[in-house]
Every structure is written in structure tokens, then in C-alpha cells.
């Protein structure tokens, strides 16, 4: 189907004159060659709202069922538009499936609706048009007599939004209820004083709590306008028209491609060479391939006998980033290396403004051979922490508790999301991870990350602290395949990645949206 800006159909019905079924004396072989007359008409009411007309479009298919057949795709007759494209009257030709030989009792448009009756959760349309793939119409006739007219009735409803703005590029409109979410992805829509109309098709719903999110971009800044609805009953065949809205983002948002990687001092599987860059060029290329914006790295050398330079600085330089190192302990010193260090670090795009930073220390205890640390970076709109927890379980557990207590005390209940990356030296069901999961949410999959050559353990994670700022995870993975570099050789761990959309307030939140008025569709 296609949308045209002419007159809006108040009650959309499709009339089909099923000529082939009237000729009972024809053989099945001849019957399936007949064209079924299909016309768009009837249902037009006086004084209807101006808006759109609906006509047949190239490739439109309907599914026809006959009396006594079950509603299964393989038992349907599939017909495709043959004549009348762009008009209200057309003819449909048999394509495949069961050959019709008697009265028609069921008809579905599109044909795929017979198998997948739900409205698509993701729809795509330019301004002023709806996504024709989201349309759902059906006809059901219990008597199934040959002379009955076939009427396709609307199985969906329509939300219409009219937006104005000041140059914002609208990209998404999403309706969310407690259980359902439907998103219209928009292309080529720039808001201005001239109103633009957008259509989102929904199934019938009855919900108590709903929200509508409008997302747009102005220059480099992405914003969201969130509106609330309550006690909304969405009925079949209705168009719901909202009052015109002037776009005013009350939340800005950005996407963060975040990674953690235990890089094994960038020299795994390489001969010792204090001056060598080792795997730094390869890993920089790999992170660029994944479009990483910020990351935490574990097992870094800095100006010691093993590596006679600042590894984190060298890596950040390859990325064009800023960086910050956190020393865990002194390592590899001699007369030529007075300040030898080993530790972890943050590397991040220069667009991220650092507001504060500090280091939590976990001195070696019992069997531990190394001091460990957690580096915490506070940026303008989010917190990023990175750690390499102690090797032994009881020490790892105590360090995890200390991290949680400190970050919860500082940032719990505030408007910045808090992310913790690390080699936790603990598997998902170990006490350390079970303790962390009381107050943190795992954002990356619990797939094996170590050893990289043939992983058998999940030790590396990205987590988010509960009850902090707004965010949503749009993608996450254990990175086990790259075009630019052999991840099986660059370290004994695999990197993990999460794509996170984080939000911050730009104006008063929680505005309600007046309930829409309903008109027959």
C-alpha cells in the first residue's frame, strides 16, 4: 500500500468482487487462472478529515482461504496485483498455493499477515507516509457463500504526530508501554515552522502506562523529547491524532562505544624487546575497527626494564586520544629506570571532558603477588571505572565490595550512569561476580574470554551500577573476530565491548502529552 496526501479515509474497507468463485462449473485448473476483481471503495463518510488516500501498489499480495481450511500459509491461495496499480480498483492474479474452487471465507492483506499477524515493531517511513509493511487487513466470513462481497477490515490503528521545530533532524518516534514497544525510524526529516506529519501503526492495545519518545539531532548533539500518556485504549481501525507539538528536547543523549581489554603489556607471543611497540599498532587498528570511543586497559608497563616507554601514552597517541594511567606497583627498576611502573589505564576520545579522577588501592594479601587498583574517571555525563581484580577469590571478593561501596557512596541515585570494566579474575557463578551482581548489571555477554587461543573461562566484563543515570545498551559482544589483527595472538584475553546510549537532562522532565483524539481509519 502507499500513502498519498489527498483525502483521509475515515473507515477503510477494501471490496473484493471474487468473480472466479461464482463460476462453480469451471474446473479447478481453469478457476485459478481467473483474475479476482478488487476495489477500494465504500466507507467514505461525509465531512471526513482531510489527509490521505490509499491505493494499490506494485507487488501487493493477498492470501485467500476457503471454507473448511485452517489458517495456514501452505493452505492459502496467494494472489498478486496484476492491474490497477496506483488506483482504487485492480485485479489480482493467482500466484501459488491451493487452487480456489469454492466460496472464500478468509482474506488477508498483506499475504504475509496470514503467517505473521503482528504489526512490525520497527517501521520505516519518510515524513507524511506510513510504512506499508505495517498495514494489516483481514476478512472473515463464517457463512462463506459465493455471493457474499469480500470486505477487508482494518486490523491495526494509526498514531499521527504533527511536529514543528528549529532545524532538528528527527530520526525516531517510539511508543512504549509496559510490555510493547513500536518504533518509527524516519529518514530525511528536518523540522521547521512548516508542520510535518508522521504515522506510526500499532496493534490494538490497552495499557495504563505509556511514553512516547521523539529523537532528533541538532548539529553534534542528539536530544530526546519524552512525553507521558496514561490509561490509553487503542482500538482497531482508529486513527489517533495528537495535538501539534513543537520539538523541544528535554533530554540529550550520546552513544558510547565502550571496551575493556587486558592487553598483556602488548607483547604476548613476542620476543622481549624494551623498545618494541609490540602489538600496540595492531590493537589500535582493532579498536578503530570496532569504532571504540573510550576503554579501560589492564596490564600496562610504564618506563621499566621490560618496556622502556609509556605503553598507554603510545597507544593513546595511535588512537588520537587522551589517557590516564593508574599505577598498581613499581616493577622492573634499575639505575636507568628510577620510576618503573605497572598498572591499568583509561584511554578515551578527546571529546570527553574529565571532571575528576581517583584510584582505589588493594594491597597484596596472603598468596597475592601483586598490588591491584581500580581507576575511576568522572566525565561530564558518565562515570567510567576500570580494574584488574586480585587473583585469589577471597581477595577478589573484598576488592569488589570496596569498589561497590565507594562508587555507590559517591554516585548512587545521581544522574550519571556508572560503568565498571575489568578483568575480574572470576567466573559468572563465582562469589565475586555474584556479589557484584547484587548492585551491578552485566552489560556484556557472559561468554568465554580467556585464554584467547581457545577460551574456556569468562573473566572480562562491563557492568553498570544500579540506580544511577539513564542509559540503554544497544549492542554488546565478546570481540573474537577482527579484520585488522589476530585477536588470538595479541593477548591471552579477548576484549569485550558495549554500545551504550546515555542520557542527561536539558530541561524539565516528565511532561505529559494530551490524550489523542480518535477518528475512524
Amino acid at each position: 500500500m502507499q500513502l498519498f496526501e489527498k483525502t483521509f479515509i475515515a473507515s477503510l474497507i477494501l471490496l473484493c468482487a471474487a468473480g472466479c468463485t461464482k463460476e462453480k462449473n469451471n474446473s479447478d485448473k481453469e478457476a485459478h487462472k481467473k483474475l479476482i476483481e478488487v476495489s477500494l471503495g465504500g466507507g467514505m463518510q461525509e465531512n471526513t478529515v482531510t489527509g490521505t488516500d490509499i491505493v494499490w501498489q506494485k507487488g501487493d499480495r493477498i492470501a485467500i482461504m476457503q471454507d473448511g481450511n485452517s489458517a495456514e500459509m501452505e493452505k492459502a491461495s496467494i494472489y498478486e496485483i496484476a492491474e490497477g496499480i496506483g488506483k482504487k480498483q485492480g485485479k489480482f492474479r493467482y500466484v501459488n498455493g491451493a487452487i480456489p474452487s469454492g466460496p472464500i471465507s478468509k482474506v488477508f492483506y498483506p499475504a504475509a499477515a496470514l503467517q505473521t499477524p503482528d504489526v512490525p515493531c520497527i517501521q520505516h517511513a519518510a515524513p507524511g507516509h506510513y510504512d506499508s509493511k505495517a498495514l494489516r487487513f483481514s476478512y472473515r466470513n463464517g457463512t462463506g457463500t459465493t455471493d457474499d462481497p469480500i470486505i477487508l477490515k482494518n486490523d491495526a490503528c494509526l498514531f499521527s504526530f504533527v511536529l514543528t521545530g528549529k532545524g532538528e533532524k528527527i530520526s525516531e518516534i517510539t511508543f512504549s508501554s509496559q510490555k510493547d514497544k513500536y518504533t518509527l525510524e524516519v529518514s530525511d526529516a528536518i523540522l521547521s515552522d512548516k508542520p510535518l506529519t508522521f504515522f506510526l501503526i500499532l496493534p490494538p492495545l490497552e495499557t495504563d502506562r505509556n511514553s512516547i519518545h521523539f529523537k532528533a539531532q541538532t548539529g553534534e548533539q542528539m536530544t530526546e523529547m519524552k512525553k507521558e500518556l496514561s490509561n490509553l485504549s487503542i482500538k482497531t481501525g482508529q486513527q489517533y491524532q495528537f495535538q501539534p507539538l513543537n520539538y523541544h528536547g528535554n533530554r540529550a543523549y550520546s552513544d558510547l562505544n565502550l571496551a575493556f581489554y587486558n592487553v598483556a603489556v602488548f607483547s604476548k607471543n613476542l620476543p622481549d624487546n624494551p623498545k618494541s611497540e609490540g602489538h600496540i599498532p595492531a590493537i589500535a587498528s582493532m579498536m578503530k575497527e570496532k569504532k571504540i570511543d573510550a576503554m579501560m586497559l589492564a596490564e600496562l608497563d610504564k618506563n621499566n626494564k621490560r618496556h622502556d616507554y609509556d605503553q598507554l601514552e603510545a597507544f593513546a597517541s595511535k588512537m588520537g586520544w587522551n589517557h590516564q594511567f593508574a599505577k598498581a606497583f613499581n616493577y622492573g627498576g634499575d639505575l636507568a629506570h628510577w620510576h618503573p611502573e605497572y598498572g591499568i589505564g583509561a584511554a578515551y576520545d578527546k571529546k570527553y571532558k574529565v571532571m575528576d579522577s581517583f584510584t582505589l588501592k588493594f594491597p597484596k594479601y596472603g598468596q597475592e603477588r601483586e598490588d591491584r587498583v581500580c581507576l575511576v574517571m568522572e566525565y561530564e555525563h558518565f562515570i567510567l571505572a576500570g580494574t584488574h581484580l586480585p587473583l585469589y577469590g577471597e581477595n577478589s571478593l573484598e576488592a569488589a565490595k570496596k569498589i561497590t561501596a565507594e562508587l555507590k557512596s559517591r554516585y548512587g541515585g545521581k544522574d550519571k550512569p556508572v560503568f565498571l570494566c575489568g578483568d575480574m579474575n572470576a567466573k559468572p557463578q563465582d562469589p565475586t561476580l555474584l556479589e557484584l551482581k547484587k548492585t551491578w548489571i552485566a552489560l556484556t555477554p557472559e561468554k568465554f574470554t580467556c585464554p584467547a587461543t581457545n577460551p574456556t573461562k569468562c573473566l572480562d566484563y562491563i557492568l553498570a551500577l544500579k540506580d544511577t543515570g539513564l542509559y540503554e545498551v544497544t549492542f554488546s559482544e565478546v570481540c573474537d573476530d577482527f579484520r585488522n589483527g589476530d585477536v588470538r595472538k595479541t593477548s591471552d584475553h579477548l576484549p569485550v565491548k558495549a554500545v551504550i546510549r546515555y542520557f542527561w537532562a536539558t530541561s524539565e522532565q516528565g511532561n505529559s502529552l494530551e490524550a489523542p483524539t480518535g477518528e475512524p481509519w
Side-chain angles (χ1 to χ4, degrees):
M1 292 283 182
Q2 189 174 12
L3 193 63
F4 294 87
E5 297 181 358
K6 294 180 181 178
T7 58
F8 197 81
I9 295 181
S11 179
L12 179 64
I13 57 176
L14 312 182
L15 301 180
C16 302
C20 69
T21 62
K22 296 181 180 180
E23 300 179 18
K24 294 182 178 179
N25 296 328
N26 287 358
S27 67
D28 288 349
K29 185 176 180 180
E30 291 300 317
H32 85 275
K33 295 180 181 179
K34 299 280 185 179
L35 296 181
I36 294 182
E37 294 278 353
V38 179
S39 62
L40 299 175
M44 291 297 295
Q45 298 180 354
E46 298 278 338
N47 302 318
T48 57
V49 162
T50 60
T52 59
D53 237 2
I54 298 178
V55 296
W56 291 116
Q57 182 180 332
K58 182 179 179 180
D60 278 348
R61 288 190 173 192
I62 57 176
I64 294 175
M65 304 294 297
Q66 290 186 259
D67 192 30
N69 283 348
S70 61
E72 298 175 1
M73 181 63 81
E74 61 269 20
K75 295 185 178 179
S77 309
I78 306 302
Y79 278 69
E80 185 173 83
I81 186 75
E83 299 176 19
I85 294 169
K87 299 179 180 179
K88 288 191 175 186
Q89 184 171 352
K91 294 182 179 181
F92 280 71
R93 177 184 293 113
Y94 171 86
V95 176
N96 56 43
I99 298 174
S101 59
I104 294 172
S105 60
K106 301 181 183 73
V107 180
F108 299 90
Y109 174 83
L114 180 65
Q115 202 169 45
T116 55
D118 294 333
V119 171
C121 290
I122 304 293
Q123 298 166 34
H124 308 270
H129 293 71
Y130 53 71
D131 185 349
S132 62
K133 295 179 181 178
L135 292 169
R136 292 291 185 270
F137 303 102
S138 68
Y139 161 80
R140 294 176 178 83
N141 182 6
T143 61
T145 62
T146 302
D147 295 329
D148 287 339
I150 298 173
I151 301 174
L152 289 179
K153 293 186 177 180
N154 199 344
D155 272 348
C157 64
L158 185 71
F159 271 14
S160 65
F161 305 95
V162 179
L163 299 180
T164 58
K166 297 180 179 179
E168 297 88 353
K169 184 178 181 181
I170 192 83
S171 59
E172 245 181 56
I173 300 174
T174 299
F175 170 85
S176 300
S177 67
Q178 288 176 300
K179 295 182 179 179
D180 304 280
K181 183 176 181 180
Y182 294 89
T183 298
L184 175 67
E185 295 185 345
V186 183
S187 59
D188 303 322
I190 305 296
L191 299 180
S192 65
D193 293 337
K194 182 181 179 181
L196 289 181
T197 303
F198 302 90
F199 297 100
L200 177 64
I201 296 172
L202 300 168
L205 296 169
E206 189 165 345
T207 58
D208 294 328
R209 296 172 58 191
N210 319 279
S211 60
I212 298 172
H213 302 254
F214 303 84
K215 293 182 179 180
Q217 185 165 350
T218 308
E220 292 297 318
Q221 180 167 294
M222 296 181 285
T223 59
E224 178 181 83
M225 180 169 68
K226 181 181 178 182
K227 300 291 184 181
E228 302 290 346
L229 289 170
S230 60
N231 300 320
L232 185 64
S233 180
I234 304 172
K235 298 179 181 178
T236 298
Q238 294 282 309
Q239 180 205 15
Y240 293 88
Q241 298 173 305
F242 291 86
Q243 293 295 322
L245 295 169
N246 184 53
Y247 190 88
H248 181 67
N250 48 32
R251 295 198 304 185
Y253 65 95
S254 293
D255 290 326
L256 169 67
N257 284 11
L258 178 61
F260 171 77
Y261 198 7
N262 182 330
V263 294
V265 295
F266 293 108
S267 61
K268 193 71 175 177
N269 305 307
L270 294 176
D272 292 337
N273 184 344
K275 301 293 185 182
S276 172
E277 288 187 313
H279 294 303
I280 289 177
I283 291 177
S285 180
M286 292 157 65
M287 295 302 104
K288 289 178 181 178
E289 179 184 327
K290 293 294 183 179
K291 297 180 170 36
I292 301 303
D293 300 309
M295 63 187 298
M296 286 287 182
L297 302 93
E299 296 192 7
L300 299 170
D301 277 349
K302 182 177 180 180
N303 301 324
N304 57 35
K305 287 195 300 183
R306 185 165 57 185
H307 292 101
D308 191 15
Y309 62 96
D310 185 335
Q311 288 192 316
L312 182 61
E313 181 181 59
F315 172 76
S317 177
K318 297 282 187 187
M319 299 296 294
W321 286 353
N322 288 332
H323 66 284
Q324 185 154 329
F325 180 80
K327 182 180 75 172
F329 56 92
N330 293 328
Y331 173 79
D334 58 17
L335 292 177
H337 303 90
W338 289 7
H339 300 288
E341 296 178 333
Y342 171 89
I344 65 174
Y348 49 91
D349 193 290
K350 292 179 180 179
K351 66 185 177 182
Y352 296 117
K353 181 179 179 181
V354 178
M355 310 301 290
D356 191 16
S357 66
F358 62 93
T359 301
L360 295 173
K361 298 182 178 181
F362 317 120
K364 59 185 177 183
Y365 179 77
Q367 294 177 288
E368 294 292 337
R369 295 176 299 170
E370 302 176 359
D371 297 336
R372 302 295 175 106
V373 294
C374 176
L375 172 62
V376 181
M377 305 289 296
E378 180 178 359
Y379 299 97
E380 189 172 11
H381 298 301
F382 63 91
I383 314 297
L384 179 57
T387 192
H388 187 186
L389 289 184
L391 182 62
Y392 292 94
E394 64 276 14
N395 298 329
S396 175
L397 179 60
E398 290 305 311
K401 289 180 179 179
K402 183 175 180 178
I403 292 172
T404 298
E406 183 65 29
L407 297 189
K408 191 173 181 181
S409 172
R410 286 176 179 253
Y411 307 114
K414 296 185 179 180
D415 60 356
K416 291 184 181 181
V418 180
F419 307 114
L420 173 63
C421 309
D423 174 356
M424 306 302 181
N425 274 318
K427 293 176 283 188
Q429 297 305 315
D430 287 348
T432 296
L433 257 294
L434 295 177
E435 176 66 25
L436 285 169
K437 288 177 183 178
K438 293 177 182 178
T439 46
W440 298 82
I441 299 169
L443 305 186
T444 46
E446 293 181 347
K447 294 172 60 178
F448 296 153
T449 62
C450 183
T453 50
N454 184 25
T456 58
K457 297 177 287 188
C458 177
L459 301 180
D460 304 86
Y461 308 83
I462 298 176
L463 311 170
L465 186 61
K466 297 177 183 178
D467 301 322
T468 56
L470 294 171
Y471 72 92
E472 59 186 31
V473 178
T474 58
F475 177 77
S476 66
E477 65 173 330
V478 172
C479 306
D480 58 0
D481 185 40
F482 290 86
R483 297 187 305 274
N484 303 310
D486 188 347
V487 75
R488 307 294 175 184
K489 294 180 179 180
T490 50
S491 175
D492 57 340
H493 287 249
L494 299 175
V496 291
K497 170 188 172 181
V499 181
I500 301 164
R501 177 165 290 177
Y502 59 94
F503 300 83
W504 64 94
T506 59
S507 65
E508 185 179 353
Q509 304 235 1
N511 296 327
S512 62
L513 185 61
E514 184 178 344
T517 57
E519 296 285 346
W521 181 24

